[in-house]
PDB file of all heavy atoms in Angstrom:
ATOM      1  N   LEU A 374      39.663  23.453 125.641  1.00 87.00           N
ATOM      2  CA  LEU A 374      40.567  24.397 126.370  1.00 87.00           C
ATOM      3  C   LEU A 374      40.071  24.600 127.791  1.00 87.00           C
ATOM      4  O   LEU A 374      39.207  25.486 127.991  1.00 87.00           O
ATOM      5  CB  LEU A 374      40.677  25.694 125.586  1.00 87.00           C
ATOM      6  CG  LEU A 374      41.670  26.728 126.152  1.00 87.00           C
ATOM      7  CD1 LEU A 374      43.073  26.191 126.132  1.00 87.00           C
ATOM      8  CD2 LEU A 374      41.579  28.064 125.384  1.00 87.00           C
ATOM      9  N   PRO A 378      44.754  29.672 133.285  1.00 88.00           N
ATOM     10  CA  PRO A 378      45.318  30.920 132.787  1.00 88.00           C
ATOM     11  C   PRO A 378      45.376  31.004 131.265  1.00 88.00           C
ATOM     12  O   PRO A 378      45.174  32.078 130.708  1.00 88.00           O
ATOM     13  CB  PRO A 378      46.769  30.930 133.386  1.00 88.00           C
ATOM     14  CG  PRO A 378      46.984  29.521 133.758  1.00 88.00           C
ATOM     15  CD  PRO A 378      45.648  28.903 134.190  1.00 88.00           C
ATOM     16  N   LEU A 379      45.618  29.882 130.576  1.00 91.00           N
ATOM     17  CA  LEU A 379      45.663  29.957 129.139  1.00 91.00           C
ATOM     18  C   LEU A 379      44.295  30.257 128.540  1.00 91.00           C
ATOM     19  O   LEU A 379      44.134  31.011 127.598  1.00 91.00           O
ATOM     20  CB  LEU A 379      46.198  28.629 128.555  1.00 91.00           C
ATOM     21  CG  LEU A 379      46.250  28.558 126.984  1.00 91.00           C
ATOM     22  CD1 LEU A 379      47.148  29.709 126.440  1.00 91.00           C
ATOM     23  CD2 LEU A 379      46.756  27.210 126.478  1.00 91.00           C
ATOM     24  N   ARG A 380      43.237  29.712 129.169  1.00 87.00           N
ATOM     25  CA  ARG A 380      41.878  29.986 128.734  1.00 87.00           C
ATOM     26  C   ARG A 380      41.561  31.504 129.005  1.00 87.00           C
ATOM     27  O   ARG A 380      40.957  32.159 128.151  1.00 87.00           O
ATOM     28  CB  ARG A 380      40.896  29.101 129.372  1.00 87.00           C
ATOM     29  CG  ARG A 380      39.447  29.360 128.872  1.00 87.00           C
ATOM     30  CD  ARG A 380      38.451  28.276 129.235  1.00 87.00           C
ATOM     31  NE  ARG A 380      37.257  28.497 128.444  1.00 87.00           N
ATOM     32  CZ  ARG A 380      37.029  28.086 127.236  1.00 87.00           C
ATOM     33  NH1 ARG A 380      38.029  27.399 126.646  1.00 87.00           N
ATOM     34  NH2 ARG A 380      35.950  28.340 126.574  1.00 87.00           N
ATOM     35  N   LEU A 382      43.623  33.954 129.030  1.00 90.00           N
ATOM     36  CA  LEU A 382      44.338  34.703 128.013  1.00 90.00           C
ATOM     37  C   LEU A 382      43.640  34.664 126.691  1.00 90.00           C
ATOM     38  O   LEU A 382      43.401  35.664 126.002  1.00 90.00           O
ATOM     39  CB  LEU A 382      45.741  34.197 127.883  1.00 90.00           C
ATOM     40  CG  LEU A 382      46.653  34.882 126.820  1.00 90.00           C
ATOM     41  CD1 LEU A 382      46.991  36.248 127.255  1.00 90.00           C
ATOM     42  CD2 LEU A 382      47.926  34.037 126.590  1.00 90.00           C
ATOM     43  N   THR A 383      43.287  33.416 126.280  1.00 90.00           N
ATOM     44  CA  THR A 383      42.603  33.200 124.965  1.00 90.00           C
ATOM     45  C   THR A 383      41.227  33.934 124.917  1.00 90.00           C
ATOM     46  O   THR A 383      40.964  34.612 123.932  1.00 90.00           O
ATOM     47  CB  THR A 383      42.435  31.717 124.717  1.00 90.00           C
ATOM     48  OG1 THR A 383      43.667  31.015 124.820  1.00 90.00           O
ATOM     49  CG2 THR A 383      41.792  31.460 123.315  1.00 90.00           C
ATOM     50  N   ARG A 419      49.968  32.520 113.159  1.00 96.00           N
ATOM     51  CA  ARG A 419      50.309  32.619 114.619  1.00 96.00           C
ATOM     52  C   ARG A 419      49.145  33.288 115.327  1.00 96.00           C
ATOM     53  O   ARG A 419      48.803  32.943 116.475  1.00 96.00           O
ATOM     54  CB  ARG A 419      51.557  33.444 114.771  1.00 96.00           C
ATOM     55  CG  ARG A 419      52.095  33.450 116.180  1.00 96.00           C
ATOM     56  CD  ARG A 419      52.394  32.067 116.655  1.00 96.00           C
ATOM     57  NE  ARG A 419      53.344  32.040 117.715  1.00 96.00           N
ATOM     58  CZ  ARG A 419      53.574  30.972 118.481  1.00 96.00           C
ATOM     59  NH1 ARG A 419      52.871  29.883 118.288  1.00 96.00           N
ATOM     60  NH2 ARG A 419      54.506  30.957 119.404  1.00 96.00           N
ATOM     61  N   GLN A 422      46.481  30.777 115.966  1.00 95.00           N
ATOM     62  CA  GLN A 422      46.863  29.892 117.090  1.00 95.00           C
ATOM     63  C   GLN A 422      46.525  30.579 118.417  1.00 95.00           C
ATOM     64  O   GLN A 422      45.921  29.921 119.296  1.00 95.00           O
ATOM     65  CB  GLN A 422      48.314  29.580 117.063  1.00 95.00           C
ATOM     66  CG  GLN A 422      48.734  28.694 115.915  1.00 95.00           C
ATOM     67  CD  GLN A 422      50.242  28.434 115.860  1.00 95.00           C
ATOM     68  OE1 GLN A 422      51.018  29.087 116.518  1.00 95.00           O
ATOM     69  NE2 GLN A 422      50.693  27.542 115.021  1.00 95.00           N
ATOM     70  N   VAL A 423      46.828  31.829 118.528  1.00 96.00           N
ATOM     71  CA  VAL A 423      46.592  32.546 119.827  1.00 96.00           C
ATOM     72  C   VAL A 423      45.072  32.615 120.069  1.00 96.00           C
ATOM     73  O   VAL A 423      44.607  32.453 121.199  1.00 96.00           O
ATOM     74  CB  VAL A 423      47.217  33.922 119.732  1.00 96.00           C
ATOM     75  CG1 VAL A 423      46.772  34.783 120.955  1.00 96.00           C
ATOM     76  CG2 VAL A 423      48.752  33.845 119.764  1.00 96.00           C
ATOM     77  N   LEU A 424      44.290  32.927 119.029  1.00 94.00           N
ATOM     78  CA  LEU A 424      42.866  33.076 119.166  1.00 94.00           C
ATOM     79  C   LEU A 424      42.117  31.787 119.431  1.00 94.00           C
ATOM     80  O   LEU A 424      40.969  31.775 119.924  1.00 94.00           O
ATOM     81  CB  LEU A 424      42.236  33.743 117.907  1.00 94.00           C
ATOM     82  CG  LEU A 424      42.529  35.235 117.773  1.00 94.00           C
ATOM     83  CD1 LEU A 424      42.044  35.699 116.400  1.00 94.00           C
ATOM     84  CD2 LEU A 424      41.801  36.073 118.817  1.00 94.00           C
ATOM     85  N   THR A 425      42.756  30.664 119.132  1.00 93.00           N
ATOM     86  CA  THR A 425      42.112  29.368 119.314  1.00 93.00           C
ATOM     87  C   THR A 425      42.749  28.515 120.413  1.00 93.00           C
ATOM     88  O   THR A 425      42.537  27.290 120.478  1.00 93.00           O
ATOM     89  CB  THR A 425      42.130  28.587 117.996  1.00 93.00           C
ATOM     90  OG1 THR A 425      43.504  28.411 117.501  1.00 93.00           O
ATOM     91  CG2 THR A 425      41.300  29.247 116.896  1.00 93.00           C
ATOM     92  N   GLY A 426      43.444  29.197 121.318  1.00 92.00           N
ATOM     93  CA  GLY A 426      43.928  28.513 122.484  1.00 92.00           C
ATOM     94  C   GLY A 426      45.242  27.754 122.355  1.00 92.00           C
ATOM     95  O   GLY A 426      45.585  26.932 123.187  1.00 92.00           O
ATOM     96  N   LYS A 427      45.938  27.985 121.275  1.00 90.00           N
ATOM     97  CA  LYS A 427      47.220  27.291 120.995  1.00 90.00           C
ATOM     98  C   LYS A 427      48.390  28.244 121.072  1.00 90.00           C
ATOM     99  O   LYS A 427      49.435  27.986 120.434  1.00 90.00           O
ATOM    100  CB  LYS A 427      47.136  26.598 119.610  1.00 90.00           C
ATOM    101  CG  LYS A 427      46.022  25.605 119.496  1.00 90.00           C
ATOM    102  CD  LYS A 427      45.989  24.978 118.095  1.00 90.00           C
ATOM    103  CE  LYS A 427      44.830  23.994 117.940  1.00 90.00           C
ATOM    104  NZ  LYS A 427      43.537  24.665 118.030  1.00 90.00           N
ATOM    105  N   GLY A 428      48.251  29.291 121.838  1.00 86.00           N
ATOM    106  CA  GLY A 428      49.257  30.288 121.940  1.00 86.00           C
ATOM    107  C   GLY A 428      50.128  30.208 123.190  1.00 86.00           C
ATOM    108  O   GLY A 428      50.808  31.169 123.537  1.00 86.00           O
ATOM    109  N   GLU A 429      50.178  29.019 123.824  1.00 88.00           N
ATOM    110  CA  GLU A 429      50.982  28.905 125.062  1.00 88.00           C
ATOM    111  C   GLU A 429      52.495  29.090 124.803  1.00 88.00           C
ATOM    112  O   GLU A 429      53.225  29.455 125.683  1.00 88.00           O
ATOM    113  CB  GLU A 429      50.738  27.594 125.739  1.00 88.00           C
ATOM    114  CG  GLU A 429      51.194  26.336 124.987  1.00 88.00           C
ATOM    115  CD  GLU A 429      50.134  25.824 124.041  1.00 88.00           C
ATOM    116  OE1 GLU A 429      49.146  26.500 123.790  1.00 88.00           O
ATOM    117  OE2 GLU A 429      50.305  24.631 123.619  1.00 88.00           O
ATOM    118  N   SER A 430      52.892  28.844 123.524  1.00 90.00           N
ATOM    119  CA  SER A 430      54.326  28.999 123.238  1.00 90.00           C
ATOM    120  C   SER A 430      54.657  30.414 122.658  1.00 90.00           C
ATOM    121  O   SER A 430      55.779  30.706 122.360  1.00 90.00           O
ATOM    122  CB  SER A 430      54.734  27.931 122.245  1.00 90.00           C
ATOM    123  OG  SER A 430      54.033  28.047 121.014  1.00 90.00           O
ATOM    124  N   ALA A 431      53.584  31.216 122.517  1.00 94.00           N
ATOM    125  CA  ALA A 431      53.824  32.563 121.987  1.00 94.00           C
ATOM    126  C   ALA A 431      54.621  33.394 122.989  1.00 94.00           C
ATOM    127  O   ALA A 431      54.449  33.288 124.198  1.00 94.00           O
ATOM    128  CB  ALA A 431      52.502  33.221 121.655  1.00 94.00           C
ATOM    129  N   SER A 432      55.501  34.225 122.481  1.00 95.00           N
ATOM    130  CA  SER A 432      56.236  35.146 123.336  1.00 95.00           C
ATOM    131  C   SER A 432      55.308  36.288 123.826  1.00 95.00           C
ATOM    132  O   SER A 432      54.267  36.540 123.238  1.00 95.00           O
ATOM    133  CB  SER A 432      57.450  35.712 122.611  1.00 95.00           C
ATOM    134  OG  SER A 432      57.017  36.609 121.578  1.00 95.00           O
ATOM    135  N   CYS A 433      55.785  36.984 124.864  1.00 95.00           N
ATOM    136  CA  CYS A 433      55.044  38.118 125.327  1.00 95.00           C
ATOM    137  C   CYS A 433      54.968  39.185 124.268  1.00 95.00           C
ATOM    138  O   CYS A 433      53.923  39.859 124.108  1.00 95.00           O
ATOM    139  CB  CYS A 433      55.749  38.675 126.572  1.00 95.00           C
ATOM    140  SG  CYS A 433      54.766  39.997 127.428  1.00 95.00           S
ATOM    141  N   ILE A 436      52.033  38.364 121.910  1.00 96.00           N
ATOM    142  CA  ILE A 436      50.786  38.701 122.572  1.00 96.00           C
ATOM    143  C   ILE A 436      50.511  40.190 122.591  1.00 96.00           C
ATOM    144  O   ILE A 436      49.415  40.623 122.220  1.00 96.00           O
ATOM    145  CB  ILE A 436      50.741  38.118 124.026  1.00 96.00           C
ATOM    146  CG1 ILE A 436      50.828  36.602 123.993  1.00 96.00           C
ATOM    147  CG2 ILE A 436      49.444  38.570 124.718  1.00 96.00           C
ATOM    148  CD1 ILE A 436      49.714  35.840 123.247  1.00 96.00           C
ATOM    149  N   TRP A 464      50.121  36.743 130.284  1.00 93.00           N
ATOM    150  CA  TRP A 464      51.163  35.913 129.690  1.00 93.00           C
ATOM    151  C   TRP A 464      52.155  35.454 130.730  1.00 93.00           C
ATOM    152  O   TRP A 464      52.579  34.269 130.696  1.00 93.00           O
ATOM    153  CB  TRP A 464      51.922  36.700 128.610  1.00 93.00           C
ATOM    154  CG  TRP A 464      53.027  35.944 127.990  1.00 93.00           C
ATOM    155  CD1 TRP A 464      52.961  35.103 126.927  1.00 93.00           C
ATOM    156  CD2 TRP A 464      54.413  35.918 128.427  1.00 93.00           C
ATOM    157  NE1 TRP A 464      54.181  34.508 126.682  1.00 93.00           N
ATOM    158  CE2 TRP A 464      55.099  34.998 127.607  1.00 93.00           C
ATOM    159  CE3 TRP A 464      55.107  36.524 129.448  1.00 93.00           C
ATOM    160  CZ2 TRP A 464      56.451  34.716 127.747  1.00 93.00           C
ATOM    161  CZ3 TRP A 464      56.428  36.266 129.573  1.00 93.00           C
ATOM    162  CH2 TRP A 464      57.089  35.364 128.744  1.00 93.00           C
ATOM    163  N   VAL A 467      50.591  32.534 132.407  1.00 91.00           N
ATOM    164  CA  VAL A 467      50.588  31.398 131.540  1.00 91.00           C
ATOM    165  C   VAL A 467      51.998  30.782 131.490  1.00 91.00           C
ATOM    166  O   VAL A 467      52.144  29.569 131.527  1.00 91.00           O
ATOM    167  CB  VAL A 467      50.110  31.748 130.082  1.00 91.00           C
ATOM    168  CG1 VAL A 467      50.370  30.576 129.128  1.00 91.00           C
ATOM    169  CG2 VAL A 467      48.677  32.078 130.120  1.00 91.00           C
ATOM    170  N   ALA A 468      53.022  31.609 131.491  1.00 90.00           N
ATOM    171  CA  ALA A 468      54.389  31.138 131.415  1.00 90.00           C
ATOM    172  C   ALA A 468      54.887  30.644 132.746  1.00 90.00           C
ATOM    173  O   ALA A 468      56.005  30.091 132.820  1.00 90.00           O
ATOM    174  CB  ALA A 468      55.294  32.333 130.937  1.00 90.00           C
ATOM    175  N   GLY A 469      54.086  30.765 133.803  1.00 88.00           N
ATOM    176  CA  GLY A 469      54.477  30.295 135.080  1.00 88.00           C
ATOM    177  C   GLY A 469      55.350  31.242 135.918  1.00 88.00           C
ATOM    178  O   GLY A 469      55.874  30.833 137.003  1.00 88.00           O
TER     179      GLY A 469
END
Side-chain angles (χ1 to χ4, degrees):
L374 182 62
L379 179 58
R380 184 166 192 82
L382 178 71
T383 304
R419 189 57 156 166
Q422 290 176 351
V423 170
L424 285 171
T425 56
K427 302 178 179 67
E429 66 272 14
S430 62
S432 68
C433 187
I436 297 299
W464 178 87
V467 170

